[in-house]
Every structure is written in C-alpha cells, then in structure tokens.
C-alpha cells in the first residue's frame, strides 16, 4: 500500500488508482481466495471415507448378556444385549445423585428395544477404550484413568466428564441396526 | 545494488518493524519502486516471474498431493487413483501438478532462450546465468523423480532406463562382469537394490519433496545475482541516465500481472479440457517389471537430450552407450561455459545479424531433436532416412553450434552500431 | 502489442508441440466416433452408459475386473441409492476382515465395494484364459492412445484375417489391435444383450454403449471438471482484459517517452 502511494506522489506518469486498478487488485484477491477453497476442502473426508461412514450390524447372533464390538469411523462401537437386571438397575439409577451428566436410561436407548444399548466405546476422558462389565457399577470401566460407567453407559465415578456417546442409529429390522 | 531511493516508512508500525527487520525495504528495493529497470523490456521478460509462479503452484499442489499419496509399490498407483476419484478436488490438484511441471518447463525454456537471444549470460551476468542453469538441472532431477511416483509403466521403465545410464561407468572398471563393475555399483547404490523397486520409490519420493525447496533457495540467489547488475534489456546496452530507467513498480508489476493471467488461462485450458494430453497413456497401466512398453518415451522436456543420448551408435575407445551418456550431460553442462564460448562484447542479437540467424537455426535444431526423441530409432522419416540419422545430424549441429560456430562467430562477426542509450533508441522509435 | 502477439503465438505453439509429442506413435487409423463427453461442455450419455453397465455385467465381467469402480460410483450415472444397493447386493464379496473362525467372510455386496473380480489373481486368470491375462478395465480408455475411439474400434474390429495372414492357435484377428492377433474372442455380437428400452441390439450400439460406460469409469470427474472449467476460464479472460487495460494505462507515460525515474544523480 505504502509503496503504491509513494510512487503515485513522485511519478507524474502513474495515475491514481481508479476503478480499473481496483478491479485488477480485487479480482486477483477474489481469484486467490477462490483457489484457497479446493486447498482446504481436499482435507475433508474423501468420498471413499464417507462411503464407510455408516455400517449395518446384524444382531441376530448376539444373545442376551453378550456384547459385540464393531468398528465405525475408525472407532469401536459397543452393542450390548442387556439383561433384564441390567435394564432394571439402569432405570432405577435415573435419579441417582452421583450422575455427573444426568440422563435417563430411556433417552439412551430406542423405545421398545431397551435391551439394545449402542454406544461409541471411547472414554469421554481422554479417548481410551473402556472394558465391559467391569467397575463398581457393573457397566464399563476405563483402565487408563479409572472412570466407572454404569449399565446405561453413564459416568458415575472417575475423571471422565460425560456419559459414553450414543451415536445416531436406527433399527432396519428387529435384528439389523444401521449405525451412522 | 540499490540504485534507487531508500525506503521511508510512512507510519509508526512500519517504522517499528523496519528498524528491526528491514523486510519492507527489501521488497521496495527489489520488486518495488526502489528498483530501477530498463524502460524497454519486452514481453519475453515476463517468463522469469511466470517461472516463479509455476514453482509456487508446484510446491502448493505438491504438498497437498503428498497428504494423500502412499509411497509404496503396492499402493502408489492406487493412491493416485484415489486422489483423482475420491479426494475432494483431488483431480484438480493432480492435474495442476502434472501439467504444472510441463508449464514450468515451457516458462523456463523460453526464459533461457530469451537470455541466449539477448546475451543476458554475458558479463557482468555470468553468475546469474549459471545459477539459472543450476535451477534447470535441479528441476530436471525433480521432474524425473516426480514422474516415477505414480508407479505406472512409464514411471517404472523411465526410471529403469535413466538410472541405467550410470551403468556406462562399467567402461571405466568392468570388474568380473558379474555385476561388480563400477557402473553396476553406482546403479545399485542409486536404486537401493538390483532393479527399480520399493527402496527406489521411497528415496525418489523423499528427494522429490526436498528438491523444490533447494530450488527455492537457488531462486533467491538467482534474484540476488540479478539485482547486482540489474536486468539486461532487448538492446543489450547498460542503463546510463535517468531517462533509461523506470521504477519496477508499478510498471513491471502491472506488466507481469497481465502476463500471469494470460499464462494462467492457457494453463487452465490444459487442466480443464486436456489434462492428459501431455502424459503418456502407458502411465495409466500399473508398473509391471515383467513387461516393457513398446516405446519408452520420456516427458517432452527431456526429449532433445534423449535424442542426443540415442545418437551414439558406434563403439570408439569406449562404448557407444558411454559416449551417449557423456554427450547428453555435456549438452547441458556446456551451457555453463556459454559466457566464455561467446566472447563478443555485443550482447543483443539485434545487433548481431549472423548470430541471430544461427540462433534461429539452433532453435529449429532443438525442435528437431525434440521431435526425433519421441520416435523409435529405426522409424523411417522420409525416403529411406531413419530417425536415428536425423537425430545424429541434429546432435552434431548442436555441438557444432556451441563449440565451433559461436567461438568463431564472436571473433569475426561484424556487428551493427549500438545506440547511444536506451532512451535515445526507444524514444526516437516512437517519434 | 505486436511483440505480445508473437509471444502468445510462440507460447501456444510450444504448448501444442509439447502436447503433440506425447500423442505420436505408429498407429493404425482408428474409427472416429462422436462422443457426447468430448469437448469443453461434454457430459456423459447416461442412457448409453447405463446400457454399457448392463453389457459389462452380462458379458465383460466374466473375465475382466473393474477394481477402481465402486457401486457407489453408479450414482454419477443417474442411479438412485436403493438401486445401487440392489445392484451391489446381487454380488457376493469377501469381507476385508475374516470371520470369527479366521476364515473368509462372504457377505452381500455394498455400495462401498468394487464389482468382485472374476479371478482371484493373475495366475488364476491366465490359467482360465489360455495363458492370456484379461486386464482390469477401470482405466482402459485412458491407458490407450485415443482411448474411446480405440475401444470402439477394437470391439467392432473383428474381421476375417486377410488372405495369407497366419493367425496362431487360440488367437483372433482384429483389425485395430497392435499386431492384430488378440487372445480375446469377439465379445460382442448382434443380439447378445437384451435391452429393455428398445435400443437397437446391434454390435455398433453395444460398442458405443460399453465405451460410454468405461469412459465414465476411467474419468468419473469429467463432468465436474468441465463444469468448473467454464467459470474459471471466464474469470481468467475477464482478468486478462482488466489487467491489459490497467497495464496500458500505466505504461502510457513510458510510451510517450517521459522520464519517470527521479532518484540519484546517475
């Protein structure tokens, strides 16, 4: 900027910036800015990555009291077929005073399919994978820094701030669930 | 240097910065109003800034491609396909990079020929010229290694053929003939194995990423060396008075800006409408060490040198192959001696009619060398003359021009009278 | 401006030479077809490409793979998501992960999968094809000079060998194949594929359709490229005009011979 003005003051020849110069400078700036978008967008997930962004899981072989761990978007997802006792405990604890991130069990499962608990198996503290059916609440326990989750995957004790995340999912049939 | 006015900061922020890091002064004095340029530079002088633009484009798109590319022989081809098919704007980045290499060579070759025509290599610009040649050599190495990365058939066989040049050193020490000659040792050192393979691909990738930054360093030296004597000009005479000079900014920044958009328009036409036209179809076939393509052809910018390599067909003291390799490297290295091979005091071809004639002959010769480079040796061109014969004549002429014609010409040629000053020549023209 | 024109001409010439060199080669004259995807505004002929996909499934896929083409890419040819899923589900694919016993897990195809290759590996392919290897066709129109015309010519180029030509056992004479002896027997002939949309079931039509499909497979971003090219070119031409005018205006005093350098005493 300064350099342009210096010239204009000294040089009789160079005309002051008129609309043409503005066009040239603004045009170049707009062109450069437009070119930046592809440079940024290329870092977003590519088409093949997005194609893997949702998965279907077959639940027919998961008996009551069993869990399966599936990989979704590079992270583990827990699908647990809960026992009646586990559901009862989870519902009973809805009002417990040690819930750090209060949430009712009903909000974490699909109505009518309360036996299926689907969660991203990543501890909300620092990203470790918690161990199933362990810890003081019979739910999940993260060995890294000692976070205890209950049978609904809610944080009850330890450093983790949030309940285990429930991904968006839907039942395609009684035995098939689409995650993502 | 710095013949111009010193930079005077206008406000306190600039002043504060300038006292600690005189970067605005540097820009002011090298590309701004503080740098005096001859008033008569023509459009051929645009190609320096265009080459710089190409380098920037190559580095930006290259860094992005490196985010998605996998340097492994089993995955390289697939990862390049993934870039063109699945990565957002990946096709744009890839086509910009592959065609950008060609555009870079076009800009640099024109830049070099401009320097040859107007005698820009002569005193006091020898260092500028030689640094430019170093940039060209680094570009060639970078382009060659980059072409290997997609791991197509041409990548693989191009790498095989070019690295095999060095097996010519077996002429110096053949060993027992079981792969322990000097050439064999050099080749296996370069390849990291006995053939072009994964170690080769990995080291080429590493160096292909590194060299552009080395080029950037030499470009800075090149511009530094330019600013000591200042730009040459179409008349080839030095700037004398105020009348000969104009400030670089705004005159040449505006002219370069115009050139940039013309160049980008041509570049964009290639990218959007003919992205594969400069490539070879065989490079869309994954590399196969068991099958050689019918014709192995290097990229177009290597073709003149490839013809020179192929032109030596008779063993004489050393093998024909060794002669070819020596001649190929000599054809580039001799350019370093151009300032001394041509001892004429007159720079511009405008005042050297005979030199000018032979300059155009040399240019035609190089077009012939390029054209023959893409032919197979025994292809009949016309009557019953084979491609190799024409290549040999063109090769002979190339060396004859530099080693005989130029030294003799510069001593005997009668040059035209030079104008008194740039201003007197160009302003009189207008009147 | 005369100089500028010369340079523009030179630049265009050098670029053209640079292009031309790559295309050189001792080629057999190919049949030239008009392709809808050619030219700066070219787009894919979707009905033809869809018929080509049918030909690929019914004929080509028994020997040739298409490893870079995923079922999800069919959306670019105008298929809806549920149709793509249905197409994919017709195939059985081997999952990337083994099942719980460590054996291959066979499941139904999904949009993310490629059409399963007909042979497990190159050796298996050669064993079943008299020693010849049917190449992957994902890039076939880009991996041959003048690819689409070449493919069309090859498909329609099976003729009687000229008198005196010796066609080896197991080979077939094709006018457009390099060396003329090709291991693949003529894959297409009139009526071999039944079209549901009433398109003529002729060899020429089949060859046209399969070429449209395979060119989409080779260059799926062609339409996106052409679509982006137009605004970019318009912008660049506009900027050429603007910077030309700015440049002319700025240079006026220089052309008039004015002295514009006022520093120092040299």
């Amino acid at each position: 900027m300064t350099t342009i003005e210096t010239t204009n003051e000294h040089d009789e020849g160079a005309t002051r910036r008129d609309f043409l110069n503005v066009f040239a400078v603004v045009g170049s700036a707009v062109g450069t800015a437009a070119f930046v978008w592809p440079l940024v967008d290329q870092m977003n997930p590519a088409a093949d990555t997005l194609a893997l962004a949702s998965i279907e899981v077959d639940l027919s072989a998961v008996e009551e009291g069993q869990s399966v761990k599936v990989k979704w978007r590079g992270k583990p997802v827990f699908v647990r077929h809960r026992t009646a006792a586990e559901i009862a405990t989870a519902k009973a604890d809805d009002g417990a005073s040690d819930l750090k991130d209060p949430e009712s069990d009903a909000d974490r499962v699909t109505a009518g399919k309360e036996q299926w608990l689907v969660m991203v198996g990543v501890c909300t503290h620092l990203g470790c994978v918690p161990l199933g059916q362990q810890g003081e609440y019979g739910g999940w326990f993260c060995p890294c820094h000692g976070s205890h989750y209950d049978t609904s995957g809610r944080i009850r004790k330890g450093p983790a701030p949030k309940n285990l995340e429930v991904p968006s999912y839907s039942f395609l049939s009684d035995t098939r669930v689409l995650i993502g | 240097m710095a013949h111009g006015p010193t930079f005077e900061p206008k406000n306190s922020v600039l002043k504060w910065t300038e006292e600690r890091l005189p970067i605005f002064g540097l820009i002011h004095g090298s590309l701004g109003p503080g740098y005096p340029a001859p008033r008569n530079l023509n459009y051929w002088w645009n190609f320096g800034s265009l080459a710089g633009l190409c380098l920037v484009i190559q580095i930006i798109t290259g860094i992005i491609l490196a985010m998605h590319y996998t340097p492994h022989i089993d995955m390289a081809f697939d990862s390049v396909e993934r870039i063109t098919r699945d990565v957002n704007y990946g096709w744009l980045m890839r086509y910009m990079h592959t065609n950008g290499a060609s555009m870079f060579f076009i800009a640099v070759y024109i830049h070099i020929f401009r320097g040859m025509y107007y005698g820009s290599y002569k005193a006091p610009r020898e260092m500028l010229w030689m640094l430019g040649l170093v940039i060209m050599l680094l570009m060639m190495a970078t382009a060659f290694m980059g072409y290997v990365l997609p791991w197509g058939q041409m990548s693989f066989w191009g790498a095989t053929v070019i690295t095999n040049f060095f097996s010519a050193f077996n002429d110096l020490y053949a060993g027992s003939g079981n792969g322990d000659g000097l050439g064999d040792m050099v080749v296996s050192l370069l390849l990291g194995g006995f053939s072009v393979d994964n170690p080769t691909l990995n080291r080429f990738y590493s160096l292909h990423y590194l060299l552009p930054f080395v080029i950037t360093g030499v470009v800075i030296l090149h511009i530094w060396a330019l600013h000591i004597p200042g730009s040459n000009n179409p008349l080839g005479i030095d700037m004398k008075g105020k009348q000969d000079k104009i400030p670089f900014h705004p005159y040449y920044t505006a002219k370069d800006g115009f050139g940039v958009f013309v160049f980008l328009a041509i570049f964009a036409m290639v990218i959007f409408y003919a992205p594969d036209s400069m490539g070879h179809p065989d490079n869309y076939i994954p590399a196969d060490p068991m099958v050689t393509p019918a014709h192995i052809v290097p990229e177009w910018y290597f073709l003149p040198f490839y013809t020179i390599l192929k032109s030596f067909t008779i063993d004489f003291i050393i093998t024909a192959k060794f002669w070819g390799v020596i001649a190929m490297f000599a054809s580039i290295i001799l350019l370093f001696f151009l300032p001394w091979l041509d001892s004429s005091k007159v720079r511009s071809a405008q005042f050297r009619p005979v030199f000018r004639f032979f300059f155009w002959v040399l240019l035609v010769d190089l077009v012939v060398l390029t054209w023959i480079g893409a032919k197979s040796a025994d292809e009949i061109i016309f009557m019953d003359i084979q491609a190799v014969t024409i290549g040999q004549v063109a090769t002979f002429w190339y060396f004859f021009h530099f080693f005989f014609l130029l030294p003799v010409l510069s001593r005997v040629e009668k040059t035209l009278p030079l104008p008194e000053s740039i201003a007197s020549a160009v302003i009189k023209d207008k009147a | 401006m005369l100089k500028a024109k010369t340079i523009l001409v030179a630049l265009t010439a050098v670029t053209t030479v640079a292009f031309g060199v790559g295309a050189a080669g001792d080629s057999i004259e190919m049949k030239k077809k008009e392709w809808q995807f050619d030219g700066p505004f070219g787009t894919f002929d979707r009905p033809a490409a869809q018929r080509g996909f049918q030909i690929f499934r019914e004929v080509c896929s028994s020997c040739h793979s298409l490893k870079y083409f995923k079922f999800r890419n069919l959306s670019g040819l105008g298929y809806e998501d549920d149709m793509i899923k249905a197409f994919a589900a017709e195939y059985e694919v081997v999952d990337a992960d083994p099942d719980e016993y460590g054996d291959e897990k066979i499941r139904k195809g999904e949009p993310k999968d490629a059409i399963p290759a007909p042979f497990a590996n190159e050796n298996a392919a050669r064993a079943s094809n008299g020693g010849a290897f049917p190449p992957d066709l994902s890039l076939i129109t880009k991996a041959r000079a003048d690819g689409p015309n070449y493919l069309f010519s090859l498909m329609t180029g099976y003729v009687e060998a000229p008198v005196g030509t010796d066609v080896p056992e197991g080979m077939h004479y094709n006018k457009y194949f390099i060396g003329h002896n090709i291991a693949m027997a003529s894959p297409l002939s009139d009526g071999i594929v039944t079209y549901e949309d009433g398109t003529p079931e002729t060899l020429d039509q089949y060859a046209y359709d399969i070429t449209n499909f395979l060119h989409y497979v080779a260059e799926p971003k062609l339409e996106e490229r052409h679509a982006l090219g137009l605004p970019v070119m318009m912008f660049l031409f506009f900027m050429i005009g603007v910077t030309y005018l700015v440049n002319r205006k700025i240079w006026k005093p220089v052309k008039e011979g004015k002295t514009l350098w006022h520093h120092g005493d040299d």
Side-chain angles (χ1 to χ4, degrees):
Chain A
M1 282 300 155
T2 311
T3 51
I4 291 171
E5 275 152 23
T6 323
T7 323
N8 289 350
E9 275 177 19
H10 289 302
D11 297 332
E12 40 176 317
T15 46
R16 295 206 164 268
R17 281 174 286 167
D18 54 9
F19 88 100
L20 263 182
N21 296 24
V22 174
F23 251 126
V25 173
V26 171
S28 308
V30 168
T32 312
F35 179 59
V36 170
W37 171 240
L39 303 185
V40 174
D41 192 36
Q42 54 88 20
M43 291 206 274
N44 275 318
D48 60 333
T49 311
L50 292 174
L52 306 176
S54 60
I55 54 164
E56 285 181 31
V57 184
D58 182 9
L59 304 174
S60 55
V62 188
E63 303 286 339
E64 188 173 315
Q66 286 188 333
S67 306
V68 284
K69 192 156 75 169
V70 293
K71 201 164 136 188
W72 174 68
R73 295 185 179 171
K75 291 184 285 192
V77 166
F78 299 149
V79 181
R80 176 150 182 87
H81 194 163
R82 298 191 294 180
T83 59
E86 283 174 347
I87 300 170
T89 324
K91 282 187 172 157
D93 284 354
D94 277 354
S97 59
D98 58 355
L99 284 177
K100 267 201 225 175
D101 179 16
E103 221 180 342
S104 71
D105 185 58
D107 288 344
R108 296 176 58 78
V109 293
T110 307
K113 300 208 185 298
E114 283 87 359
Q115 72 273 36
W116 296 108
L117 178 64
V118 181
M119 301 182 302
V120 177
V122 173
C123 181
T124 56
H125 180 222
L126 290 169
C128 296
V129 178
L131 305 168
Q133 287 65 61
Q134 291 195 24
E136 293 175 18
Y137 298 85
W140 284 263
F141 170 70
C142 181
C144 291
H145 304 95
S147 293
H148 298 259
Y149 298 90
D150 66 12
T151 54
S152 189
R154 292 171 296 200
I155 180 66
R156 300 295 285 271
K157 189 180 171 189
K162 293 273 186 190
N163 301 334
L164 288 175
E165 186 195 340
V166 177
S168 64
Y169 67 91
S170 57
F171 282 90
L172 301 171
S173 69
D174 276 353
T175 56
R176 285 192 80 79
V177 63
L178 176 78
I179 302 174
Chain B
M1 58 190 287
H3 316 280
T6 47
F7 175 67
E8 285 157 29
K10 284 276 190 171
N11 62 49
S12 54
V13 177
L14 283 182
K15 191 166 185 297
W16 184 91
T17 314
E18 194 63 14
E19 279 164 3
R20 284 154 184 83
L21 181 73
I23 189 153
F24 298 111
L26 183 72
I27 295 167
H28 175 90
S30 54
L31 294 166
Y35 179 53
R39 69 186 301 145
N40 62 333
L41 299 187
N42 59 33
Y43 275 103
W44 294 113
W45 261 263
N46 278 49
F47 287 91
S49 67
L50 293 177
L53 175 73
C54 289
L55 178 63
V56 172
I57 291 175
Q58 290 306 89
I59 288 178
I60 291 174
T61 52
I63 287 172
I64 281 166
L65 291 174
M67 292 182 192
H68 304 284
Y69 172 75
T70 311
H72 187 283
I73 55 167
D74 294 336
M75 286 174 276
F77 193 92
D78 289 1
S79 70
V80 172
E81 276 309 308
R82 181 180 172 269
I83 288 170
T84 25
R85 288 160 189 271
D86 287 337
V87 172
N88 303 315
Y89 293 104
W91 59 270
L92 179 62
M93 296 300 130
R94 170 156 186 251
Y95 289 147
M96 282 185 78
H97 198 71
T98 53
N99 292 300
S102 282
M103 296 307 282
F104 198 176
F105 273 99
I106 289 173
V108 162
Y109 282 168
I110 293 178
H111 188 61
I112 291 171
F113 283 119
R114 189 269 291 152
M116 285 166 84
Y117 186 84
Y118 293 113
S120 301
Y121 49 85
K122 295 186 182 209
R125 296 185 183 81
E126 300 95 323
M127 189 58 87
L128 175 62
W129 171 255
M130 290 190 289
L131 285 167
L133 291 172
V134 171
I135 294 171
M136 185 183 77
L137 285 173
L138 288 168
M139 275 173 67
M140 288 176 159
T142 311
F144 160 64
M145 289 188 280
Y147 195 59
V148 178
L149 303 185
W151 209 244
Q153 273 290 64
M154 278 297 164
S155 300
F156 181 88
W157 291 99
T160 301
V161 169
I162 299 209
T163 49
N164 261 310
F165 292 167
F166 295 93
S167 68
F169 285 119
N170 272 354
D171 281 18
L172 300 179
Y173 174 69
S176 66
N178 287 320
D180 58 351
L182 180 61
D184 303 316
M185 288 192 279
V186 172
V187 172
S188 49
L189 178 78
L190 290 174
L191 298 180
F194 306 107
S195 62
V196 177
D197 209 332
N198 204 46
T200 323
L201 180 63
N202 273 283
R203 64 190 59 187
F204 279 16
Y205 179 54
S206 167
L207 293 172
H208 182 72
Y209 202 115
L210 168 73
L211 287 185
F213 299 99
V214 180
I215 293 177
T216 309
V218 185
V219 166
I220 291 169
L221 296 181
H222 186 67
I223 296 173
W224 186 7
L226 168 69
H227 283 71
I228 304 300
S231 293
N232 186 30
N233 65 80
L235 295 169
I237 57 176
D238 294 331
M239 292 186 283
K240 294 194 183 81
K242 287 179 183 175
Q243 274 214 314
D244 293 350
K245 302 174 183 175
I246 50 173
F248 190 87
H249 180 80
Y251 299 100
Y252 288 112
T253 39
K255 199 169 180 170
D256 280 343
F258 171 60
V260 161
F261 282 106
V262 174
F263 190 76
L264 285 180
I266 295 174
F267 188 19
M269 262 188 252
V270 179
I271 293 167
F272 290 109
Y273 304 120
D276 287 313
S277 50
M278 292 201 225
H280 197 287
D282 276 359
N283 227 26
Y284 279 112
I285 303 171
D288 183 352
M290 308 303 278
V291 181
T292 310
H295 297 294
I296 301 177
V297 183
E299 293 288 81
W300 69 269
Y301 36 81
F302 291 136
L303 288 175
F305 311 105
Y306 193 52
T307 306
I308 293 175
L309 174 86
K310 291 191 294 182
S311 287
F312 290 81
T313 50
I314 299 166
D315 294 350
F316 174 67
I317 306 172
I318 51 175
T319 56
K321 175 177 170 179
F322 202 6
W323 279 116
V325 173
I326 290 172
M328 189 185 64
F329 284 106
S331 67
I332 302 170
I333 301 301
L334 70 84
L335 296 174
F336 281 89
F337 300 94
L338 193 54
W340 297 278
L341 289 169
D342 176 7
S343 59
S344 171
K345 288 280 176 281
V346 177
R347 294 196 190 105
S348 174
Q350 223 175 311
F351 305 103
R352 301 179 66 190
V354 186
F355 170 86
R356 188 168 66 213
F357 173 76
F358 283 113
F359 171 86
W360 291 113
V361 174
L362 178 72
L363 210 56
V364 171
D365 187 58
L366 278 157
V367 171
V368 172
L369 284 170
T370 307
W371 171 56
I372 294 295
K375 308 259 174 212
S376 52
D378 55 357
E379 196 173 327
I380 305 296
I381 302 299
F382 55 81
M383 313 285 275
D384 45 0
I385 299 175
Q386 292 186 335
V388 65
T389 316
I390 296 178
Q392 283 165 338
V393 174
T395 300
F396 168 78
W397 185 264
Y398 182 89
F399 288 103
F400 179 75
H401 177 93
F402 285 107
F403 284 135
F404 182 77
L405 218 50
L406 217 47
V408 171
L409 205 60
S410 56
R411 283 178 180 78
V412 302
E413 185 181 7
K414 222 172 141 51
T415 57
L416 304 178
L418 293 174
E420 247 168 68
S421 73
I422 295 172
S424 69
V426 293
I427 295 172
K428 195 171 59 198
D429 275 358
K430 298 288 155 202
Chain C
M1 279 318 284
L2 183 71
K3 208 83 190 189
K5 273 180 204 147
T6 327
I7 291 173
L8 198 59
V9 169
L11 194 57
T12 320
V14 176
T15 319
T16 320
V17 169
F19 282 42
V21 168
D26 52 343
S27 47
I28 311 152
E29 194 66 29
M30 295 295 155
K31 291 184 189 173
K32 299 283 176 207
K33 249 332 219 191
E34 291 240 330
W35 302 106
Q36 194 188 305
F37 48 72
D38 276 342
F41 304 104
T43 52
F44 288 108
D45 182 344
R46 283 182 171 67
Q50 291 190 358
R51 291 191 299 269
F53 177 54
Q54 187 190 350
I55 297 172
F56 183 84
R57 284 188 301 151
E58 293 181 16
V59 182
C60 319
S61 64
S62 55
C63 297
H64 293 277
S65 59
L66 212 55
K67 67 187 282 201
Y68 297 115
F69 190 74
K70 309 289 156 57
F71 288 108
R72 63 183 161 84
N73 296 131
L74 285 169
S75 64
L77 289 181
Y79 287 106
E80 301 295 330
D81 281 357
D82 46 346
M83 290 182 78
I84 294 173
K85 272 191 180 171
F87 276 130
E90 286 175 20
Y91 293 87
E92 287 192 328
V93 300
V94 179
D95 199 85
D97 298 316
D99 69 7
E100 54 199 301
Y101 307 109
D103 298 325
E104 277 187 347
K105 189 161 70 188
I106 310 288
R107 57 166 173 80
K108 279 185 184 172
E110 292 172 19
K112 66 178 180 190
D113 297 314
I115 297 177
F119 303 105
N121 51 54
E122 184 176 332
N123 288 359
R126 284 190 192 280
S128 310
N129 286 284
F133 177 50
D136 184 87
L137 296 181
S138 311
L139 283 161
I140 200 72
T141 62
K142 286 167 89 175
R144 300 288 182 276
D146 196 12
N149 283 324
Y150 170 78
L151 183 58
F152 180 84
S153 305
L154 190 79
M155 289 298 103
T156 57
Y158 286 91
V159 292
E160 279 292 313
V163 182
T165 319
D166 193 22
V167 181
E169 178 78 31
M171 298 299 247
H172 310 272
Y173 187 85
N174 190 304
K175 217 174 138 184
Y176 299 99
F177 190 69
I178 296 174
H180 297 302
N181 294 321
I182 183 167
M184 172 172 70
S186 177
L188 301 173
S189 56
D190 289 351
I192 195 170
V193 175
T194 308
Y195 283 152
E196 281 164 17
D197 60 357
T199 309
E201 290 159 6
T202 61
L203 172 61
D204 265 32
Q205 185 65 42
Y206 292 147
Y208 176 80
D209 292 347
I210 190 67
T211 306
N212 271 292
F213 173 65
L214 287 178
H215 196 55
Y216 172 70
V217 171
E219 189 71 41
K221 295 289 179 173
L222 178 138
E223 289 185 356
E224 188 181 331
R225 177 155 62 76
H226 287 174
L228 185 59
L230 185 66
V232 170
M233 292 312 301
M234 276 167 36
F235 169 76
L236 289 175
F237 281 122
F238 173 74
M239 288 307 290
I240 287 175
V242 171
T243 47
Y244 170 73
L245 292 175
V246 168
N247 188 45
R248 197 177 59 172
K249 198 179 180 83
I250 286 179
W251 273 76
K252 204 162 168 261
V254 185
K255 300 284 181 201
E256 286 165 358
K258 292 206 174 101
T259 300
L260 299 155
W261 182 261
H262 303 288
H263 312 286
D265 34 45
D266 48 343

